[in-house]
Amino acid sequence: MTSILEVKNLSKSFRGRRDWPWSPKSVALEPTSFTLAAGETLAIMGETGSGKSTLAKLVAGVDNPTSGDIYLNGQKLYDANTKQRCQNIRMIFQDSEKSLNSQRTIGQQLEEPLIFNTRQTAQERQNTVKQTLRKVGLLAEHYEFYPHMLSTGQKQRVAIARAISLEPQIIVADEALVALDPSVRAQIINLMLDLQQDMGISYIFVTHSPQIVKHIADKILILYRGKMITFEKTEHLLNKPQQPYVEQLLHEHL
């Protein structure tokens, strides 16, 4: 299977207060490498502080790496090339409530990516947004709604709509399902799997949940204190003995 995303030795370090040159560096992520194929789902797991969210933000372009490279379809992504990344790699954040602007309608917020990344007219943007709302199981009428008028599950559907509006190749979901109750979570997972099948999207899921991983992930990448300790196909990890840390991540809460 041909890789659409190739991450090579990506790392992130921080310095202490005010970036004084003599302040010690804090390593959030040691050099990490992995690949992702079209239509594939990668789960990133690890305990709190392991570097999961750091890696997700680096891939999505929310933060810049200290070292390493990211290649999309064989072409290197540069920090300054935000438009290419924005069109092809989108992110869904953990808190859909905070990721939406309470002062603007859903339609206005979903039109923003189209304004900055397409040449569509105002009418075309409106039509695209309404079609996208239907894709995620909402109504065209939700275009006029404000976030406070929606349930938690509906807000997460809006966040997904915003992520798919530019028809990206990759969606990075950083603990995007953690705040949902089990029944709503199951609906959102099924929606994302349907969108993956219809649109050929690749997913990178940051999650603590072994249940979700076993249900959706083709591959698993596990981090421990900023260091990648394994990157394998899900079935291989689940079917052979692992070190205690990996066993705990894969089987806790079951």
Side-chain angles (χ1 to χ4, degrees):
M1 200 179 298
T2 304
S3 297
I4 60 167
L5 181 74
E6 188 174 2
V7 172
K8 293 185 177 181
N9 297 316
L10 208 63
S11 73
K12 183 66 178 181
S13 299
F14 299 93
R15 284 198 179 275
R17 189 172 63 178
R18 297 185 182 178
D19 291 331
W20 286 331
W22 58 83
S23 61
K25 282 186 178 181
S26 173
V27 179
L29 183 71
E30 294 188 22
T32 299
S33 302
F34 66 88
T35 58
L36 184 69
E40 191 172 58
T41 298
L42 168 67
I44 301 177
M45 302 185 74
E47 62 186 8
T48 301
S50 62
K52 303 186 304 298
S53 291
T54 298
L55 178 55
K57 289 175 182 176
L58 294 177
V59 172
V62 176
D63 200 359
N64 295 329
T66 302
S67 65
D69 299 304
I70 300 175
Y71 294 86
L72 181 68
N73 302 316
Q75 182 178 358
K76 183 176 177 178
L77 291 178
Y78 292 94
D79 296 341
N81 194 348
T82 55
K83 186 169 184 178
Q84 181 185 11
R85 195 190 299 255
C86 182
Q87 289 177 328
N88 290 287
I89 305 177
R90 306 287 289 170
M91 193 165 189
I92 303 173
F93 296 95
Q94 178 176 334
D95 193 335
S96 59
E97 182 88 38
K98 291 181 179 178
S99 71
L100 297 175
N101 186 336
S102 62
Q103 304 301 314
R104 308 193 73 202
T105 67
I106 299 305
Q108 289 173 329
Q109 295 183 64
L110 293 186
E111 278 195 40
E112 283 182 354
L114 302 173
I115 291 172
F116 292 111
N117 295 281
T118 74
R119 296 182 178 179
Q120 292 183 3
T121 64
Q123 185 61 54
E124 288 171 338
R125 289 196 301 270
Q126 188 176 117
N127 292 340
T128 297
V129 168
K130 290 182 177 180
Q131 290 171 6
T132 305
L133 286 171
R134 294 189 191 99
K135 276 186 181 179
V136 299
L138 295 173
L139 301 174
E141 288 77 8
H142 284 118
Y143 182 97
E144 304 292 346
F145 281 40
Y146 286 86
H148 73 271
M149 301 166 70
L150 303 177
S151 68
T152 301
Q154 288 174 322
K155 290 174 187 174
Q156 195 58 278
R157 289 175 186 268
V158 171
I160 294 171
R162 183 167 55 191
I164 68 169
S165 61
L166 296 177
E167 300 185 354
Q169 296 184 63
I170 300 166
I171 289 179
V172 180
D174 187 6
E175 295 284 9
L177 307 174
V178 70
L180 305 176
D181 67 56
S183 61
V184 175
R185 186 184 303 134
Q187 294 172 17
I188 296 298
I189 289 174
N190 288 332
L191 167 64
M192 295 183 76
L193 292 175
D194 288 343
L195 291 171
Q196 184 175 48
Q197 186 172 7
D198 293 342
M199 302 176 68
I201 298 169
S202 299
Y203 288 124
I204 297 177
F205 270 94
V206 174
T207 181
H208 282 94
S209 171
Q211 298 98 321
I212 292 175
V213 167
K214 292 175 182 180
H215 185 58
I216 66 172
D218 299 297
K219 293 178 182 176
I220 301 174
L221 188 156
I222 294 179
L223 294 167
Y224 178 71
R225 295 184 179 178
K227 183 177 181 179
M228 186 178 78
I229 61 174
T230 189
F231 169 56
E232 289 193 57
K233 289 184 177 180
T234 303
E235 58 187 279
H236 293 169
L237 274 181
L238 295 176
N239 294 327
K240 70 179 185 181
Q242 300 293 333
Q243 55 182 290
Y245 175 70
V246 176
E247 288 286 347
Q248 178 186 354
L249 289 175
L250 294 177
H251 299 292
E252 65 182 358
H253 309 311
L254 293 181

